Amino acid sequence: MTESPPPFRDPGLPLDKRVDDLLSRLTADERVTLLHQYAPAVDRLGVAAFRTGQEALHGVAWMGRATVFPQAVGLGATWNDDLLRRVGEAVAVEARAMRSRDPRVGLNVWAPTVNLLRHPLWGRNEEGYAEDPHLTSALAAAFTRGLRGDHPTYWRTAPVLKHWLAHNNETLRDTSNASVRPRVLHEYDLRAFRTAVEAGAVAGVMPAYNLVNGRPNHVSPHLRGELRRWTDEELLVCSDAGAPSNLVDSQHYFDTHEEAVAAALLAGVDSFTDHGTDPGIIVGRLRRALARTLLTGADVETAVRRHLTVRFRLGEFDPDGGPYEVTDARGVDTAAHRELAREAAEQAVVLLKNDGLLPLASPAGDARVAVVGILADECKADWYSGTLIRRSSLLDGLRERFGADRVTFAEGADRVRLKCAGGWLRVPASGAAALARAAGGALDPALVPGRTDLSPLAVTGDGAQATEFALVDWGEGAWTLRAPDGRYLSVAGDGFVRASADQPGGWVVQETFELVGQGEGSGGEHGDGRGDGHGDGHLLRHIGTGGYVSVAAGGVKVAEDGEPVPAGRAEVFTVEVLERGEEAVRRVAAAAHTVIVVAGNDPHINGRETQDRTTLALPPHQERLWRAARAAQPRTALALVSAYPYAVADAHAELPALLWTAHGGQAGGTALARVIAGDVSPAGRLPQTWYAADTDLPGLFDYDIIGSRQTYLYFDGTPLYPFGHGLGYSSFAYGDLATERDGDTLDVAFTVTNTGSRTADEVAQLYARSPRRAVVELPHRRLVGHRRVTLAPGARQRLVFRVPVTDLGFWDVRHDRWTVAPGTHELQAGASSRDIRLSVPVDLEGHAIDARPVQGAGLAAVGYDTQRGTEIVDRSRTSGDAVRALDGGAGELHFHACDFGEGTAAVTVEAAGEGAVDLIAGSTATTVTVPRTGGVYDYTSCASGFAVSGVRDLRVRLRGPVRLARLTFTGTAERGDTA
């Protein structure tokens, strides 16, 4: 007699019943083991092992050859929801196909990243979509819909949004605190996540490494208080790698790891990514937390239910694997995916400026197009790229488009030799061992070792045998050196330097070096007196290990027995410059009719995960290249290929055309060439503000976009290029803007007409502007709708938007609620945030922004309107906020329009720590002294007389390491009763 399969194997049963059945069959100990990223198999039930987490930001990453789409910031520049949905679907199809040949490929995909691009120096700028929450959430919702699929029950993949919450710095990323006031929290950071979650295609989120308001994101109360209130789905919260251990090891937030994992689980973390593939350490901590009653079995069951729900939705427990199961890898690198990659790369190109130079016609007669620059013949991948199956550079694309004989090239690298006391550095000849090794999948590419099968660099006394290196100075002290055969100098685990890398890369980049003056900590330009001025000799420091280049019997090395070579044992080098890159560029440019300079970044150097940039400036090496090209041929365009914005005011002033695109994946070069040649009219739009100079930027750790006037929402200066900016080869007219109220929604419509002679795309943008007489500081304008449309010459299209009235609101800190300001709002249609073509007034009743009812409700310290010199910290380890002065000094909070009624007699402060709280309302002032309490979470109440009445602005000054949570005010009558 055949045994019937258990109910959890029956696809005919409701999902929750199937989850209940499997959950009931698991022992208490088996349930605990499922809480690690690498959940082991439960053989007795036929439950396979399962891994949460498959990187898939712009293609399936780390698992070998896959279609590579433009970087996320490039996808953001398309402003095209439907395109993002199609890209997400292609990525999911490839994940399923790749899994059919390699079961290590996961279906719980960790993508997209919805952190807002608040600060352009953030190292991971390439991973986000935009600085605006509306655009980010719309694109994220579209991408996740593609990843999820359209089946009502089953999911093709299960996307997890990264990184919850308010995370925009790599510097001190696991110990820094983002001080996020309630308005910024609700109006900015939470909104980016909320719309995507509410769209119904998100399986979970990943908390960020940093702290928000003094509390690590992995124990954020907003996981329960906000995230899980937005949907009825069982969201799976996956920790970031190593973050559970950080709670003790680097953040020192808890004393023991048992307390840490318990607190994280109770806060809402369901899957622990820690200690690599070994679940034993985390499982042991969870077991001990249960034994200490820090957790209950019910707490574990809740998390396991979320874990199992994802697996059921992926079809794992269906006999046939569910409707999205595939049994072969034919879904990878299909013709449709190749075409989609090209389309995405084309739509991502932004034309920043054009004084008629573009598009280029095919060169006639003896005319030539020169393509020059460090990135002219490159197709770069980033940390979250898959292995490129195909690649195209701009040089490839233009030669294909115009003919190889019509396109000339100069890279612009400096050609140098490196000389030391014993002679010159030489790359030994290599035989068969030098053949490139095939790139394979790696669950953690950080663990892929460097090559040791090649001979280390040696020193020769014969100058004729010296190797000529191509040197690129990427700025901020980082060099790369490339041998004539195209391989970069790199360092493997044995500490020797070899010409062994196809490209810079890896978690710790092993291909960058820094020139250091003898006895100095850093160096400047090489060997021409333009930089450090250290005379004849320099030291060469390997940035990845920190070791200095030295010459030993076995070859050139930077480390020995695992220890970096110190400066005292380093070799002194002279950089012999054979040709400057700008000389080669000038020579090629002078012989050309038009020059395209391709500049930008290598995604693994100066601005990436773990490393923020320090400046918006283009690296000086590349600055010299475009200046040399322009001096030789004024018909010069600058094409920036980068993961982030640059401040290129001089180039904007001096060059007739500029373009920008993110690293465009496998088709990036072809796409950019088609735009330059006019086969495609560019219609990418900037997803973030391009500032004119570093002086326009706030501090990297300043998350208060309102107070520090960040992003297009609040920036008061003049940007180099505004949010939403982008030009094309056609022109468009806007007309007939109208709006009508339909309950809680505004129906907005306007017409866009192609008034040019080319078929082209236009990105129509709809903004809302709050009443100018509002009593609180509101954005200059905010994006509430966008649409990318394709129009033939003379064609027009009526665009209709439905805008919820609540989208015009803000967080009212006076009453702790979302509200819409009463008065006349404006809806504005235009081509960018600073190119508004039409506007229409809309009168809304809203809610009156009344004075703060402080006598009855008191004041939460975090509810300020403005502040100076303070930061928000945690009221307790589990919930609540307080405010303290930075570095225990002095800070000030301002509360506008406080209604003290008929009069108060006293104020009571709820505070911890030690210090003084000064209150000033007009001519009335008092000081409340807070004696030292038992600790930062031991709050006490201290009072002082404070006689004030009516509506007044209140200033609260904090002195010393006091943490203020709340102010309460006692009325005159109440004071008399208690006297």
Side-chain angles (χ1 to χ4, degrees), residues 67-80:
T67 302
V68 180
F69 296 93
Q71 292 178 305
V73 68
L75 295 175
T78 70
W79 288 57
N80 190 333

Side-chain angles (χ1 to χ4, degrees), residues 430-495:
S430 299
L435 296 175
R437 297 177 297 180
L443 290 176
D444 187 350
L447 303 179
V448 176
R451 296 185 67 170
T452 58
D453 57 323
L454 302 173
S455 300
L457 265 63
V459 172
T460 177
D462 183 357
Q465 295 186 26
T467 297
E468 180 183 303
F469 296 100
L471 185 156
V472 175
D473 184 347
W474 294 98
E476 302 187 49
W479 284 10
T480 54
L481 292 158
R482 194 178 67 243
D485 66 358
R487 290 176 294 154
Y488 287 82
L489 298 196
S490 184
V491 175
D494 61 3

Side-chain angles (χ1 to χ4, degrees), residues 71-89:
Q71 292 178 305
V73 68
L75 295 175
T78 70
W79 288 57
N80 190 333
D81 300 8
D82 180 66
L83 176 72
L84 268 287
R85 179 194 58 76
R86 290 185 284 133
V87 170
E89 181 177 350

Side-chain angles (χ1 to χ4, degrees), residues 678-711:
D679 300 327
V680 176
S681 179
R685 298 294 184 263
L686 292 181
Q688 63 190 128
T689 302
W690 280 45
Y691 297 96
D694 289 338
T695 52
D696 289 334
L697 299 179
L700 182 66
F701 297 102
D702 188 344
Y703 279 74
D704 184 0
I705 65 165
I706 301 173
S708 58
R709 316 305 292 167
Q710 298 181 54
T711 78

